[in-house]
Amino acid sequence: MGSRAHRVSLGDAWSGRVHPDIESERRWPAFDVERLTNLLDGGAQNTALRRKVETLVRDDPAFNLIHTHFMTQDEHFQAATQRLFLIQKLAKRMDWPDDSLEFQYIYRALSGDISLGVHSVAMNAIKSLGSEEQIAKWVPLCKTYQIIVSYAQTEMGHGTYLQGLETEATYDAATQEFVIHSPTMTATKWWPGDLGQAATHALVMAQLTCSGARWGMHAFMVPIRSLQDHTPLPGITVGDIGPKMGIEITDNGFLRLDHVRVPRENMLSRFTQVSPDGTYVRHGIAQVNYLPMVVTRVYMLRNIVLYGLQKACVIATRYSVIRRQSRIRPSDPEAKILDYQTQQQKLIFPLAMGYAFHFQVASIMDFFHRSYDAIRNKDMSLLPELHALTTGSKAMMTEFGAHGVELCRRACGGHGYSKLSGMPSLATYLLASCTYEGENTVLYLQVARFLVKNCRQAWEASDPASRKSLPQSVSYLTAARVDKCPAQTEAHFLHPELYMQAWAHVAARLLESSVHHLQMLVQAGADEHEAWNQTSVLLLQAAKAHCYYITVKNFKEALEKLEHGEPAVHRVLKRLCDLFALHGILADLGSFLYDGFLSAPQVNMLRTTYLDLLLQIRKDAILLTDAFDFTDQCLNSALGCYDGNVYERLFQWAQMSPNNNSQTQEKPAYTKYIRPLMQSRGSKL
Amino acid sequence: MNPDLRRERAAATFNPELITNLLDGSPEKTQRRREIENKILSDPDFQHEDYNFLTRSERYDVAIKKSAVMVKKMREFGIADPDEIMWFKNFVHRGRPEPLDLHLGMFLPTLLHQATAEQQERFFMPAWNLEITGTYAQTEMGHGTHLRGLETTATYDPKTQEFIMNSPTVTSIKWWPGGLGKTSNHAIVLAQLFTQGKCYGLHAFVVPIREMGTHKPLPGITVGDIGPKFGYEEMDNGYLKMDNYRIPRENMLMKYAQVKPDGTYVKPVSNKLTYGTMVFVRSYLVGEAARSLSKACTIAIRYSAVRHQSEIKPGEPEPQVLDFQTQQYKLFPILATAYAFQFVGKYMKDTYYRINESIGQGDLSELPELHALTAGLKAFTTWTANTGIEECRLACGGHGYSHCSGIPNIYVTFTPACTFEGENTVMMLQTARFLMKSYDQVQSGKLACGLVSYLNDLPSQRIQPQQVAAWPTVVDINDPDSLTEVYKLRAARLIDIAAKNLHTEMSCRKSKEVAWNLTSVDLVRATEAHCHYVVVKLFADKLQKIQDKAVHSVLRNLFLLYSLYGISQKAGDFLQGNIMTGSQITQVNQHILELLTAIRPNAVALVDAFDFKDMTLGSVLGRYDGNVYENLFEWAKKSPLNKTQVHESYHKYLKPLKSNL
């Protein structure tokens, strides 16, 4: 196999022989794994390029990630900074262009374990919100690391609700400067990555006051550390916010500003300007300040959420064919745990998600690239839909992804609790993603607001023309729909049209009843804001059903394109799409039975179909995870390596634990506490 | 005190102290618990730097130091009652694991129960005096819950009258036992006993692993730490490989089974007895689920009362996040669950002690049902609590992710409960086996008793599970009995379906085992429904016994919320089974929203009633006084990364970065 040498961990004793239990899973492939890999990469040439990049970092001990399992927060940060440094050198040597695929691939190969991630976020923000002049001034400095910029938005007391931010930027026309100030303890910038130790500048989001009026949140470039010796500048209090559940490579920090003055030119002014006399000018809508967040979300969904989920699937699935436990029949040897129906139920949904979200991300990327340039050129027509799409996807993918990774971790039994499995680290990355870049509940409610606004208009307008103007992603909500599921046999549930109808029905019904509930409360005398709060649980459900519908739809549409060119790949992926759609229905069955859309006998059929799918997908499970084509280096898991030599590797890796180092072995604790404990001989006990 | 929290507390409609007493068992118990607590709080030996700022090896250091002192002081203070021991340990270690856990919790009790008098003499007293520190080595690298699969062997050699302990494969290496990595000098090792050429299954052996005096591994023993984990940093979970390592015959624990000097094997009288320990540990884990969930809830609810965010009405000040319906919907069902599990945990503990007495009198009849029930409840409560803790963390927004919130620590400390002491899915299937047995028993005309007696009421002539229209649909969603009844119907229905599917699979596939596997998703679902019913029932029973009116009223709301929320989440089961109609589900959902509003004024007082000290919570966000933000800043300043203004990485990597490019 051409790519195998590429996948396995070199330099350890076992990669030469593949464990027979995983070998047998690969022996009779029902489809060409390489073709699927190419499809996921966007073409064979991309796969080739990706592997070339991966080879570059494979042999260099500086890029060996195994030791990261044993590091303190401080060591993590240092190692990640060192890797960044080495990558930049490598890129220079190889002459990689900016923003090239090579960078994307090397980040993937190193599991994103590289510091200064927020520096790029800030750079993107400058590109989105800065004038051409500002871009020309700051971006080259960022690219060559002459300056390091953190994106400082979240405050101690304020997160997702940006209007609540307290940091002030007051224009002083006399000196043509902005005075940036943290008026309260809760106004302290809190959480921004790269801020704790690394940043020389912060792109500070602050409430602008000029000409005696408040104009809302704007972005300001603020120097915070000396470019000579890196010490904090006058008026700046900056540091690390302390230990977290995970993401140790990032120095999340705090920042307090005490009347710090920056020149007028340091306000990013692509869409808004303050003229020297303090006159405020805006082009476009206020929401445009959210654009950097949209950009960040799109990349984060791929690099952290999608890859994280896929890696967890690879590790848990591979481990589940090596791990044997108990017997299915008394006469058989112990069974692979993947052969247990309950294990399949745990792992196959995350796997289906791993594919569903791949196509979801592809579709968002596509929409993003189509709309981003238009928005930067001040055509705002697509911004609301782009915002709603990324918001909904962020909430759904992080919620489901985090849940999926935890499911995979626990499906590895006790060993999933060991850091050497790689699972705790994946889990903590995904868990964090549920609250950063927008808290998920708030985001779902933003989607709900978008849906309510658009559909209300469409429902109230009687002429079909106004319905046509609906954003494409919500038009289904106002289309005619079926009230009863037409399925008559189990096989009917394998028709994408049928389960799409089911999701469309439920999403529309939930939205309708939310709108109805809102109206009812308003008619009963509640003001509309109170009514919104009292309907928010319902709205949340409607938004979630909508997001699920969109994900199923994207998956289905992506598959339609494969049907003729890649029939074998299409066949296996279609099962995943079916499973993804049906799993969601079973998980929220009440919503489908509630108004009789599904009948009780139909639910039984659906359940049978679902259980059959588990068995069928089980057969391809290893190949489907191989197709993601993550290197062992990037998986960094003793349980998940390509060759399946789980136990040998686990034992060997455990030996690297500093606690087993003979230099430090047990001496201090033993001599200090254990020995006296034992020698007290019960005299006092 | 933070003004928001002061206002919340003043507005409560009941006296939290009464609930605290209820949870502890009596006002006297509350008083005694606080006495112990204050003793530890004021003891300088138990003070130390915040764990969050220490490395793993420093944490181990602190923990073992505290453990040593703890054992001494516990005896000084004459603490021997099991509850008091647990309180003491929990306060000293702030709810976290410690290196002597296995010594105190497994090594000593196993000696006590399974050692002969001679062995007690030889091992128990030195272990009691901590000359011997031991662990319990069961799990292997390749084998966990399925005990029969363990590979470690103990082969008897009659010539020398020794057992040869051996780890024949990589997968047979003992892996995970706490206290094994660094602390213990002995281990009770579970191994397959071979004598006279025959295997007699798992038995327990006392194996010396480190030299007394030097603490160095003995020849033939390879022992060490298994490396970093998600949590449990204070614990030296270890591995143990034995290379044809010999121990005297007398080191096999022989109170029940025996190997005679010539190698003759003598069978134990009953093996049901080992159930006792498992039942105890599992009922303890149910209590842990309740405690961990209660802690997470306390933090999230207090913080939600302190945190202001966003707006409900434009122009008004930012409201407390606890006033958002979605926040209440996240947290109050968890609060209700925490209370439900507190009562279930208490019930299980009491039942264990009650049954333990009858075991003492030789009556083992109740053990199998209890054993079966505890397996499922352990799985049900730990899964639910695991999810609930994580939801509490998310409900704290971004700060929940910081260790300052304390919830990451609660989560990583608790989550292994889903896999240890029996992996949850396997536990569920154990209970399923009991349910299927009871079901078959009823089918064959014998009545089932205890908590599964509802299986007696199944209309046994039915062929299609969905033809159950005859079941009562008169549901009063305000009546605890009526709600218990619908949960019972749901459980009965799902057990019925699982049993029928199992029989169908059996009739077309012949093998019972294959059929079992192909029905296992249904079986787990049925068991979950059974456990859910048991929890609802026990909560309803408890409610009846509450005298104080104000307390009754507030707990009744929690009961209703717990039951109705469960129905809403599993509406499919109730609708498909015609147990409830669509319009009833609408009423349920509407009533849930009303209950959220009703519970809201008492939310803070309800978590105060759990009576956790700030030190036990280990949370800046969940502080009793609510002074969150000031303390958050103070806490962060202690971060090791803030020790210098300019981090060394700046000179090593960042500065060269800009000059080299």
Side-chain angles (χ1 to χ4, degrees):
Chain A
M1 201 183 287
S3 57
R4 205 188 86 197
H6 164 78
R7 288 191 184 110
V8 300
S9 315
L10 289 189
D12 68 24
W14 309 285
S15 17
R17 61 178 175 86
V18 172
H19 195 291
D21 281 345
I22 200 161
E23 179 98 81
S24 63
E25 300 280 338
R26 298 181 176 126
R27 204 167 295 150
W28 294 285
F31 64 98
D32 185 341
V33 178
E34 189 66 14
R35 300 285 285 255
L36 180 51
T37 302
N38 295 341
L39 177 82
L40 294 170
D41 280 326
Q45 72 290 353
N46 286 355
T47 305
L49 177 66
R50 178 172 53 72
R51 289 184 182 152
K52 210 175 99 195
V53 172
E54 285 163 354
T55 314
L56 284 174
V57 295
R58 189 186 55 195
D59 303 327
D60 189 336
F63 292 124
N64 182 334
L65 300 175
I66 295 175
H67 298 286
T68 58
H69 292 307
F70 307 102
M71 287 179 175
T72 64
Q73 186 192 357
D74 197 28
E75 290 163 343
H76 268 290
F77 173 66
Q78 290 213 37
T81 313
Q82 188 195 17
R83 280 191 288 274
L84 173 82
F85 175 65
L86 295 171
I87 288 175
Q88 294 301 332
K89 268 173 71 175
L90 181 68
K92 203 180 171 196
R93 204 178 73 221
M94 308 291 294
D95 214 12
W96 291 340
D98 292 335
D99 301 323
S100 64
L101 274 176
E102 281 91 342
F103 276 102
Q104 185 190 321
Y105 290 148
I106 203 163
Y107 272 73
R108 188 184 124 122
L110 296 174
S111 232
D113 251 353
I114 298 152
S115 63
L116 301 198
V118 177
H119 178 64
S120 333
V121 170
M123 197 158 55
N124 280 326
I126 296 170
K127 287 188 204 163
S128 303
L129 301 179
S131 65
E132 293 304 327
E133 237 167 81
Q134 289 171 324
I135 294 174
K137 178 180 174 192
W138 301 110
V139 170
L141 291 174
C142 290
K143 279 187 174 160
T144 54
Y145 296 93
Q146 301 303 304
I147 60 173
I148 294 166
V149 189
S150 172
Y151 181 81
Q153 179 173 298
T154 303
E155 296 171 359
M156 197 191 260
H158 304 272
T160 308
Y161 178 69
L162 298 183
Q163 285 143 278
L165 294 180
E166 293 178 81
T167 305
E168 297 164 350
T170 313
Y171 185 64
D172 177 357
T175 60
Q176 298 199 19
E177 285 171 324
F178 291 104
V179 184
I180 318 277
H181 183 59
S182 316
T184 61
M185 178 59 79
T186 45
T188 309
K189 292 290 176 189
W190 202 266
W191 280 109
D194 305 351
L195 177 63
Q197 303 295 337
T200 60
H201 287 64
L203 192 60
V204 174
M205 296 290 146
Q207 305 289 354
L208 168 66
T209 304
C210 65
S211 314
R214 284 176 69 104
W215 302 98
M217 190 188 79
H218 289 74
F220 301 85
M221 272 292 265
V222 183
I224 57 168
R225 286 188 175 96
S226 150
L227 289 175
Q228 269 68 51
D229 62 7
H230 211 62
T231 50
L233 294 171
I236 299 285
T237 310
V238 64
D240 181 272
I241 61 158
K244 299 148 293 187
M245 196 171 186
I247 322 193
E248 284 100 339
I249 60 158
T250 304
D251 55 328
N252 298 82
F254 63 78
L255 173 65
R256 291 189 54 76
L257 302 125
D258 184 10
H259 299 97
V260 173
R261 290 178 167 261
V262 297
R264 187 178 64 90
E265 295 76 24
N266 282 25
M267 181 177 110
L268 296 190
S269 54
R270 185 172 201 85
F271 301 100
T272 51
Q273 282 127 34
V274 173
S275 53
D277 66 352
T279 315
Y280 180 78
V281 188
R282 168 179 286 159
H283 323 279
I285 49 178
Q287 280 77 3
V288 77
N289 275 323
Y290 293 78
L291 192 57
M293 289 177 41
V294 171
V295 181
T296 309
R297 277 176 199 159
V298 172
Y299 287 105
M300 145 207 171
L301 287 183
R302 183 188 64 203
N303 297 344
I304 294 168
V305 182
L306 178 64
Y307 292 163
L309 173 64
Q310 289 176 339
K311 282 193 265 187
C313 289
V314 176
I315 296 167
T317 311
R318 286 182 182 166
Y319 176 61
S320 295
V321 301
I322 299 299
R323 180 81 172 182
R324 288 174 174 272
Q325 196 75 182
S326 227
R327 296 178 166 85
I328 292 176
R329 285 188 204 87
S331 54
D332 290 354
E334 288 193 88
K336 293 178 177 177
I337 56 175
L338 195 57
D339 286 324
Y340 289 96
Q341 192 185 45
T342 45
Q343 187 77 355
Q344 292 162 11
Q345 190 200 19
K346 284 177 201 170
L347 290 183
I348 289 185
F349 178 61
L351 178 61
M353 256 196 289
Y355 278 92
F357 290 170
H358 168 86
F359 294 111
Q360 173 83 346
V361 165
S363 143
I364 297 173
M365 285 275 179
D366 186 50
F367 192 91
F368 173 68
H369 289 305
R370 272 190 286 135
S371 47
Y372 183 64
D373 284 335
I375 296 168
R376 281 186 78 239
N377 291 321
K378 306 191 175 93
D379 167 9
M380 301 293 156
S381 57
L382 286 176
L383 183 61
E385 186 169 18
L386 176 66
H387 184 254
L389 264 180
T390 51
T391 301
S393 301
K394 189 273 173 187
M396 173 166 174
M397 282 182 59
T398 55
E399 182 194 347
F400 278 72
H403 180 67
V405 172
E406 257 302 273
L407 212 56
C408 288
R409 186 185 68 73
R410 294 210 304 257
C412 293
H415 292 325
Y417 193 69
S418 167
K419 279 194 181 166
L420 305 180
S421 70
M423 288 297 206
S425 146
L426 289 174
T428 51
Y429 266 93
L430 271 280
L431 294 174
S433 69
C434 294
T435 48
Y436 69 62
E437 292 306 321
E439 195 275 330
N440 280 349
T441 304
V442 177
L443 297 187
Y444 277 127
L445 289 174
Q446 285 176 9
V447 174
R449 210 175 273 281
F450 174 77
L451 296 178
V452 168
K453 193 176 149 216
N454 280 291
C455 292
R456 222 185 220 167
Q457 273 171 11
W459 286 328
E460 281 160 10
S462 44
D463 66 308
S466 69
R467 290 191 179 182
K468 272 193 197 130
S469 67
L470 274 179
Q472 140 218 351
S473 58
V474 299
S475 55
Y476 79 98
L477 287 168
T478 58
R481 52 177 213 263
V482 254
D483 287 330
K484 294 254 182 270
C485 172
Q488 286 164 3
T489 67
E490 284 157 10
H492 284 165
F493 284 101
L494 300 174
H495 289 308
E497 291 308 328
L498 188 128
Y499 51 67
M500 293 282 296
Q501 263 172 13
W503 277 106
H505 173 86
V506 163
R509 180 178 66 74
L510 288 170
L511 188 66
E512 264 175 16
S513 61
S514 312
V515 169
H516 180 71
H517 195 260
L518 277 172
Q519 279 166 345
M520 207 178 67
L521 290 175
V522 170
Q523 275 161 15
D527 76 73
E528 73 184 283
H529 305 285
E530 187 52 38
W532 181 268
N533 186 32
Q534 291 307 320
T535 313
S536 51
V537 166
L538 262 174
L539 287 160
L540 195 63
Q541 286 167 349
K544 285 185 181 187
H546 166 73
C547 292
Y548 213 99
Y549 169 85
I550 295 283
T551 311
V552 175
K553 178 166 171 265
N554 282 327
F555 202 164
K556 175 197 155 242
E557 285 172 359
L559 290 185
E560 280 163 0
K561 293 180 196 138
L562 294 174
E563 198 162 356
H564 299 294
E566 298 280 356
V569 167
H570 177 265
R571 202 173 311 125
V572 288
L573 291 188
K574 163 125 184 345
R575 285 186 200 125
L576 291 171
C577 180
D578 296 343
L579 184 108
F580 181 78
L582 299 185
H583 182 100
I585 295 177
L586 283 172
D588 188 19
L589 205 48
S591 297
F592 294 82
L593 279 161
Y594 170 82
D595 58 345
F597 178 81
L598 284 179
S599 68
Q602 281 175 329
V603 172
N604 291 342
M605 288 182 228
L606 191 155
R607 195 182 297 279
T608 311
T609 311
Y610 169 79
L611 293 175
D612 283 349
L613 279 169
L614 289 183
L615 262 183
Q616 290 176 37
I617 297 169
R618 152 72 187 93
K619 296 189 189 107
D620 299 320
I622 287 295
L623 297 172
L624 281 166
T625 52
D626 283 352
F628 295 137
D629 205 31
F630 289 106
T631 59
D632 285 354
Q633 179 185 20
C634 138
L635 291 170
N636 200 17
S637 162
L639 305 186
C641 286
Y642 183 81
D643 64 21
N645 294 310
V646 167
Y647 298 111
E648 294 80 353
R649 205 167 267 121
L650 191 55
F651 189 65
Q652 193 209 35
W653 287 17
Q655 306 307 312
M656 297 179 210
S657 172
N659 291 8
N660 289 329
N661 184 321
S662 58
Q663 294 293 307
T664 58
Q665 193 174 17
E666 58 227 349
K667 290 298 186 307
Y670 173 70
T671 43
K672 278 196 332 230
Y673 311 116
I674 302 177
R675 198 165 57 197
L677 188 66
M678 291 162 60
Q679 288 171 346
S680 56
R681 290 258 159 190
S683 53
K684 273 192 180 160
L685 298 181
Chain B
M1 192 190 294
N2 170 292
D4 284 316
L5 282 187
R6 185 182 300 135
R7 203 162 28 80
E8 297 284 340
R9 285 174 180 135
T13 63
F14 69 101
N15 176 4
E17 184 69 12
L18 294 178
I19 293 195
T20 306
N21 297 339
L22 189 73
L23 295 173
D24 281 322
S26 67
E28 295 71 36
K29 283 209 133 183
T30 302
Q31 201 194 346
R32 174 69 176 149
R33 178 176 56 74
R34 287 185 183 149
E35 208 177 291
I36 294 175
E37 199 168 26
N38 289 328
K39 212 173 254 179
I40 295 165
L41 279 174
S42 58
D43 189 331
D45 278 347
F46 296 128
Q47 312 305 314
H48 55 86
E49 200 182 335
D50 189 329
Y51 272 130
N52 290 306
F53 302 119
L54 302 178
T55 65
R56 194 179 154 224
S57 125
E58 289 165 340
R59 285 184 181 206
Y60 170 72
D61 231 58
V62 170
I64 187 85
K65 178 182 170 196
K66 281 200 295 186
S67 297
V69 182
M70 174 184 79
V71 173
K72 206 172 88 182
K73 296 211 166 165
M74 238 189 314
R75 288 169 194 172
E76 267 172 28
F77 299 152
I79 284 170
D81 173 80
D83 277 345
E84 296 188 0
I85 291 177
M86 200 194 75
W87 291 334
F88 202 93
K89 194 189 106 56
N90 263 338
F91 296 141
V92 168
H93 288 284
R94 308 179 184 182
R96 309 178 61 84
E98 49 108 356
L100 291 186
D101 272 351
L102 275 274
H103 177 79
L104 301 171
M106 290 299 290
F107 191 77
L108 287 175
T110 308
L111 288 176
L112 204 57
H113 293 126
Q114 297 185 35
T116 62
E118 178 274 327
Q119 289 173 326
Q120 303 266 4
E121 185 85 358
R122 204 150 38 97
F123 297 119
F124 188 82
M125 280 324 288
W128 179 253
N129 293 331
L130 292 175
E131 287 163 50
I132 287 180
T133 46
T135 179
Y136 189 82
Q138 175 175 299
T139 304
E140 295 172 0
M141 199 194 269
H143 308 273
T145 306
H146 180 65
L147 295 183
R148 276 167 294 168
L150 294 181
E151 292 178 82
T152 303
T153 56
T155 311
Y156 185 62
D157 177 359
K159 277 191 289 242
T160 58
Q161 299 199 15
E162 286 171 324
F163 287 104
I164 306 164
M165 307 299 293
N166 196 31
S167 316
T169 59
V170 179
T171 45
S172 73
I173 298 172
K174 294 289 177 189
W175 202 265
W176 281 110
L180 175 61
K182 300 286 120 186
T183 314
S184 305
N185 53 29
H186 281 66
I188 289 179
V189 171
L190 275 272
Q192 305 287 356
L193 166 65
F194 284 85
T195 178
Q196 298 179 335
K198 230 183 120 183
C199 179
Y200 288 93
L202 280 188
H203 288 75
F205 302 84
V206 180
V207 181
I209 55 172
R210 287 187 170 93
E211 191 182 46
M212 306 295 265
T214 68
H215 211 57
K216 282 190 183 136
L218 290 161
I221 296 287
T222 312
V223 63
D225 179 273
I226 61 161
K229 295 146 296 186
F230 206 6
Y232 267 58
E233 282 96 341
E234 298 80 5
M235 181 67 101
D236 54 328
N237 297 83
Y239 60 81
L240 170 66
K241 186 172 178 298
M242 294 171 297
D243 194 3
N244 290 313
Y245 180 76
R246 287 174 173 263
I247 55 168
R249 182 184 68 91
E250 295 81 8
N251 279 24
M252 174 176 146
L253 293 181
M254 296 219 238
K255 188 168 176 187
Y256 300 106
Q258 287 170 30
V259 172
K260 298 280 179 205
D262 67 350
T264 311
Y265 179 76
V266 184
K267 261 197 335 196
V269 191
S270 163
N271 50 20
K272 272 188 195 163
L273 277 166
T274 53
Y275 283 179
T277 321
M278 281 197 261
V279 168
F280 174 74
V281 173
R282 287 174 193 167
S283 60
Y284 173 76
L285 286 176
V286 174
E288 269 306 293
R291 276 184 291 278
S292 303
L293 195 55
S294 305
K295 274 192 235 171
C297 234
T298 305
I299 296 166
I301 286 182
R302 283 184 186 159
Y303 178 59
S304 296
V306 171
R307 177 90 170 173
H308 289 252
Q309 195 71 182
S310 199
E311 56 185 15
I312 291 173
K313 294 179 193 173
E316 290 188 3
E318 294 186 278
Q320 292 165 287
V321 294
L322 202 54
D323 284 331
F324 287 93
Q325 191 188 50
T326 45
Q327 188 76 353
Q328 296 167 4
Y329 193 73
K330 268 182 217 172
L331 291 176
F332 294 170
I334 299 176
L335 176 65
T337 307
Y339 270 95
F341 289 0
Q342 291 274 4
F343 298 136
V344 176
K346 183 106 186 11
Y347 168 86
M348 286 183 62
K349 201 173 72 180
D350 294 346
T351 312
Y352 169 77
Y353 286 123
R354 183 173 58 76
I355 291 189
N356 216 20
E357 265 176 38
S358 18
I359 295 174
Q361 292 150 14
D363 175 11
L364 302 179
S365 60
E366 279 186 274
L367 254 186
E369 180 186 350
L370 188 68
H371 178 245
L373 181 68
T374 52
L377 279 175
K378 177 258 177 187
F380 182 80
T381 54
T382 56
W383 265 339
T384 311
N386 194 72
T387 312
I389 295 166
E390 180 50 22
E391 279 167 10
C392 287
R393 191 186 66 72
L394 288 174
C396 294
H399 293 327
Y401 194 72
S402 164
H403 276 303
C404 74
S405 77
I407 304 185
N409 276 326
I410 296 173
Y411 184 77
V412 298
T413 306
F414 180 73
T415 189
C418 296
T419 48
F420 68 39
E421 295 303 329
E423 196 277 327
N424 276 355
T425 303
V426 179
M427 290 299 96
M428 280 288 180
L429 288 169
Q430 267 185 24
T431 300
R433 218 171 271 283
F434 176 76
L435 294 174
M436 290 300 108
K437 220 174 101 187
S438 307
Y439 180 90
D440 289 343
Q441 184 185 319
V442 171
Q443 294 287 305
S444 63
K446 253 174 76 187
L447 288 183
C449 55
L451 284 165
V452 289
S453 57
Y454 62 87
L455 293 174
N456 299 333
D457 307 332
L458 275 180
S460 49
Q461 300 305 318
R462 281 182 295 105
I463 300 160
Q464 288 296 319
Q466 54 269 24
Q467 296 176 347
V468 201
W471 284 355
T473 46
V474 191
V475 180
D476 178 354
I477 60 168
N478 261 313
D479 175 36
D481 290 337
S482 182
L483 289 171
T484 312
E485 187 65 22
V486 296
Y487 272 94
K488 187 200 272 188
L489 290 177
R490 164 172 173 251
R493 175 177 167 270
L494 292 181
I495 290 172
D496 194 41
I497 290 174
K500 291 201 165 104
N501 288 349
L502 181 61
H503 290 153
T504 313
E505 288 290 349
M506 263 157 69
S507 59
C508 59
R509 309 213 188 225
K510 295 185 187 103
S511 156
K512 199 170 144 192
E513 292 79 12
V514 173
W516 181 266
N517 185 29
L518 288 170
T519 322
S520 53
V521 167
D522 287 338
L523 288 164
V524 170
R525 191 164 67 118
T527 309
E528 271 175 344
H530 172 72
C531 295
H532 211 153
Y533 155 70
V534 172
V535 174
V536 169
K537 183 184 153 35
L538 294 176
F539 198 164
D541 290 351
K542 186 76 195 179
L543 201 55
Q544 279 191 344
K545 294 182 196 133
I546 291 165
Q547 307 286 331
D548 185 87
K549 255 192 163 158
V551 169
H552 183 274
S553 142
V554 63
L555 288 182
R556 188 169 179 281
N557 281 341
L558 286 181
F559 169 82
L560 292 175
L561 181 64
Y562 179 76
S563 317
L564 297 177
Y565 183 78
I567 292 174
S568 168
Q569 292 298 296
K570 299 285 176 189
D573 290 345
F574 293 90
L575 286 165
Q576 201 194 356
N578 282 330
I579 300 166
M580 294 179 90
T581 62
S583 66
Q584 282 172 329
I585 297 292
T586 308
Q587 284 170 30
V588 165
N589 288 333
Q590 187 52 41
H591 198 35
I592 290 172
L593 300 182
E594 290 157 15
L595 284 165
L596 297 180
T597 313
I599 292 167
R600 169 67 186 87
N602 283 319
V604 168
L606 278 166
V607 296
D608 284 349
F610 292 134
D611 201 27
F612 290 113
K613 290 267 186 208
D614 281 350
M615 199 180 76
T616 313
L617 286 179
S619 167
V620 178
L621 303 189
R623 294 168 62 94
Y624 183 81
D625 68 11
N627 295 324
V628 168
Y629 295 113
E630 304 81 328
N631 286 290
L632 189 54
F633 195 54
E634 288 310 308
W635 182 86
K637 284 188 196 159
K638 292 185 220 151
S639 168
L641 266 73
N642 288 330
K643 279 188 184 138
T644 53
Q645 273 288 7
V646 179
H647 196 259
E648 55 182 319
S649 63
Y650 169 74
H651 301 288
K652 272 158 72 182
Y653 307 113
L654 295 175
K655 211 168 152 189
L657 196 59
K658 63 176 171 182
S659 45
N660 282 8
L661 288 171

